[in-house]
């Protein structure tokens, strides 16, 4: 992969009719969270790499946890492609999300959440 910031997008459609299928769905979803992915929307998870190091470890981690049945797709995007995404919520276009800070990603991976303080330009 490249040396520029990259995103790994995992999209999946898994069966959930039986208790065993729901358990497999949850196991796969949790394996993505353990690899540092976060939920973009239902059954779509993303992983950000500021240095573009979409390692073989991440793809191998996904492959080693594939459930039986359903469909899973892995897509790698540059940060520029990710930023060009057009997003709508409740029929209203939303402003693209900024590039996440490395500290923020680290804390999200630990299950901690915080609000990153941004400097106020023009205000003392």
């Amino acid at each position: 992969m490249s040396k520029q910031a990259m995103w790994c997008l995992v999209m999946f459609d898994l069966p959930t009719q039986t208790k065993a299928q729901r358990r497999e769905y949850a196991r796969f979803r949790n394996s993505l969270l353990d690899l540092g992915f976060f939920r973009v929307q239902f059954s779509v998870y993303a992983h950000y790499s500021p240095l573009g190091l979409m390692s073989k470890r991440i793809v191998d981690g996904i492959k080693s946890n594939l459930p039986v049945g359903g469909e899973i797709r892995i897509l790698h995007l540059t940060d520029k492609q990710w930023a060009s995404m057009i997003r709508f919520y409740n029929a209203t276009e939303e402003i693209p999300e900024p590039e996440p800070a490395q500290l923020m990603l680290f804390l999200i991976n630990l299950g901690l959440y915080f609000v990153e303080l941004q400097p106020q330009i023009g205000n003392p």
Side-chain angles (χ1 to χ4, degrees):
M1 289 287 161
S2 95
K3 298 279 184 190
Q4 62 183 334
M6 295 289 292
W7 291 85
C8 180
L9 202 62
V10 176
M11 302 165 282
F12 56 94
D13 186 16
L14 301 175
T16 57
Q17 283 94 12
T18 68
K19 187 174 183 177
Q21 289 172 331
R22 287 188 294 276
R23 193 172 23 251
E24 278 298 296
Y25 175 95
R27 186 191 59 77
F28 180 71
R29 178 190 168 281
N30 288 331
S31 73
L32 292 175
L33 295 173
D34 290 343
L35 288 169
F37 283 79
F38 63 92
R39 193 182 95 180
V40 176
Q41 61 187 57
F42 293 120
S43 299
V44 179
Y45 285 72
H47 182 278
Y48 178 73
S49 176
L51 301 176
L53 301 174
M54 282 300 141
S55 69
K56 187 173 177 346
R57 177 190 66 83
I58 291 173
V59 175
D60 287 347
I62 295 167
K63 286 180 178 180
S64 68
N65 287 294
L66 293 176
V68 176
E71 182 178 3
I72 297 166
R73 295 175 186 232
I74 301 172
L75 177 66
H76 295 282
L77 302 165
T78 65
D79 198 38
K80 184 176 180 180
Q81 290 169 321
W82 179 270
S84 69
M85 181 185 336
I86 300 170
R87 180 178 169 191
F88 294 90
Y89 179 76
N90 199 20
T92 304
E93 188 170 352
E94 291 198 342
I95 298 170
E97 299 161 345
E99 177 180 307
Q102 188 64 32
L103 176 61
M104 183 176 78
L105 290 172
F106 176 73
L107 293 174
I108 287 172
N109 286 339
L110 292 177
L112 304 172
Y113 300 92
F114 72 102
V115 176
E116 185 176 352
L117 298 175
Q118 298 292 328
Q120 297 295 320
I121 298 173
N123 292 336

